[in-house]
Amino acid sequence: MMALARLDIPGLVLYGGSIAPGIFQGRSVTIQDVFEAVGKYTSGKIDDAGLKAIEDAACPGAGACGGQFTANTMSTVMEFLGISPMGSNGIPAMSPAKDAAAFACGQLVMQLLRNDLRPSHIFTRQAFENAIISVAATGGSTNAVLHLLALAHEMNVPLDIDDFDRISTATPIIADLKPGGRFMAADLHNAGGIQLVAQRLFEGGYLHGAAITVTGKTLREEASQAKEVSGQEVVLTTDHPIKATGGLVILKGNLAPEGCVVKMAGHNMLYHRGPARVFDTEDAAFEAVKNNQIVANDVVVIRYEGPRGGPGMREMLGVTSALSGAGLDASVALLTDGRFSGATHGLMAGHVAPEAARGGPIAAVHEGDIVVFDINARQLNVELSAEELAARLKDWQPPEPHYKGGVMAKYANAVSSASKGAVTI
């Protein structure tokens, strides 16, 4: 999408499709279950054989992650933005219908060329708002914040991190999808697909209907073609949602002056106050979880994993899933200047900005400092005076960079804050 936006030539995106559900002990499982099983294993809840059995079952074939994780979140976004033909992306990877969808996309590309329908006609402010609504309504990945900010930057469309909080607060969650819900991406397709989600949101008056799509039709016209499967339980109505407000919130405060992102789908933790457990790499945090060194009420702080510090901002699925598998997801909070997998759930604040490698306040947190998450107040704070925080930051020295030359060093020097989409200029 970013390449299409930068070049502004007629084109579209076709998503490869989701993996089929794995079946373990009569229930559907995904890669999320494998990572959580690692936490169960390290806490003694399952043995070697139990972990291997889940590993063997979780990924039965080709395709992207099976829940509303980052891949399927962005697949949803592509359809709501209008850059993918509605109904094409949700077809599972190994379905014979995917071949037909690919062929139809090839035909459509030629039509786009004839009509000179360019990304700049599609990637409008209204389209971006529709995309954010789709993420909020489906309990989608926090990575959508990064990707949409970066895409808007390419298209010179005004979009700010605070827009996500404003739009999500006004949008109900209506899709019961993993990791916060019960169903997988293939279940959504079988229930009526992304078109059904769009139709429900139009019925509730949430979307901009006039936004154009690559088919030449408006989003409202595309959504009107949705066919709901009788008896489906995956997509609810906006009158009777899973939650009245959407899946993303933006927190600020003395630990995140530029903001950070929390996903609220799948949990109801609105407040947490606890001592900081500070780690300068994801690997160190994972070792602590694996060795049962994290206990209830802790706040796990993982820093120097941001766009510059990583460099590259890797996801924290290993740590967050291990916490869930160990049964700590309802009693431990986590914050990081890195990012999360879309499979992450629990009270987890990612993209904390400014990042530690830029001398952000997260760099000044010490082991045992009291950290407070207050979702209703949209605040993430450490209980330190402004004077103490400033004194610590004055004494702070940046660590040695991982790369002192080459493309990674150039990237680290050029990349912007996560609050701006971690774009390079």
Side-chain angles (χ1 to χ4, degrees), residues 1 3-5 7-14 78 81-85 105-106 108-123 212-216:
M1 288 195 292
L4 282 173
L7 297 172
D8 198 27
I9 57 174
L12 57 81
V13 181
L14 174 63
M78 289 169 190
L81 275 171
I83 201 65
S84 295
C105 283
L108 181 55
V109 165
M110 304 311 295
Q111 189 65 40
L112 288 169
L113 283 166
R114 283 190 287 268
N115 295 338
D116 197 31
L117 181 55
R118 297 172 181 267
S120 55
H121 304 144
I122 294 169
F123 290 145
I212 198 71
T213 74
V214 286
T215 64

Side-chain angles (χ1 to χ4, degrees), residues 191-338:
I194 294 302
Q195 282 173 300
L196 180 59
V197 176
Q199 187 179 84
R200 289 282 191 267
L201 290 168
F202 273 119
E203 289 169 357
Y206 289 93
L207 295 170
H208 301 290
I212 198 71
T213 74
V214 286
T215 64
K217 297 177 181 178
T218 65
L219 190 67
R220 184 185 296 276
E221 289 172 326
E222 292 289 358
S224 70
Q225 303 302 308
K227 296 178 181 178
E228 181 177 3
V229 174
S230 177
Q232 68 85 22
E233 300 179 0
V234 184
V235 183
L236 286 70
T237 65
T238 56
D239 290 337
H240 298 91
I242 297 167
K243 278 188 175 183
T245 59
L248 299 175
V249 299
I250 304 299
L251 307 183
K252 294 189 175 179
N254 69 0
L255 269 181
E258 294 179 6
C260 65
V261 186
V262 176
K263 181 162 67 173
M264 294 304 297
H267 73 93
N268 294 300
M269 295 174 67
L270 298 176
Y271 186 88
H272 184 94
R273 180 179 181 274
R277 302 298 311 282
V278 182
F279 305 94
D280 287 349
T281 65
E282 179 195 12
D283 307 275
F286 182 77
E287 286 300 312
V289 177
K290 189 172 74 172
N291 294 324
N292 300 312
Q293 295 170 347
I294 304 299
V295 299
N297 204 46
D298 281 349
V299 177
V300 178
V301 179
I302 306 175
R303 61 193 181 190
Y304 298 108
E305 294 285 11
R308 176 181 288 182
M313 207 176 184
R314 60 179 171 169
E315 66 181 31
M316 303 288 149
L317 182 59
V319 175
T320 60
S321 296
L323 287 169
S324 295
L328 293 169
D329 53 316
S331 59
V332 166
L334 183 147
L335 65 99
T336 179
D337 53 11

Side-chain angles (χ1 to χ4, degrees), residues 30-88:
T30 70
I31 192 68
Q32 171 193 350
D33 296 276
V34 178
F35 277 91
E36 292 183 5
V38 172
K40 292 178 181 178
Y41 175 79
T42 57
S43 60
K45 295 180 180 180
I46 59 174
D47 59 13
D48 286 4
L51 176 57
K52 185 176 187 302
I54 295 176
E55 286 182 331
D56 289 347
C59 296
C65 301
Q68 192 68 343
F69 310 153
T70 301
N72 287 312
T73 297
M74 297 312 296
S75 165
T76 301
V77 160
M78 289 169 190
E79 292 198 18
F80 274 78
L81 275 171
I83 201 65
S84 295
M86 184 156 272
S88 63

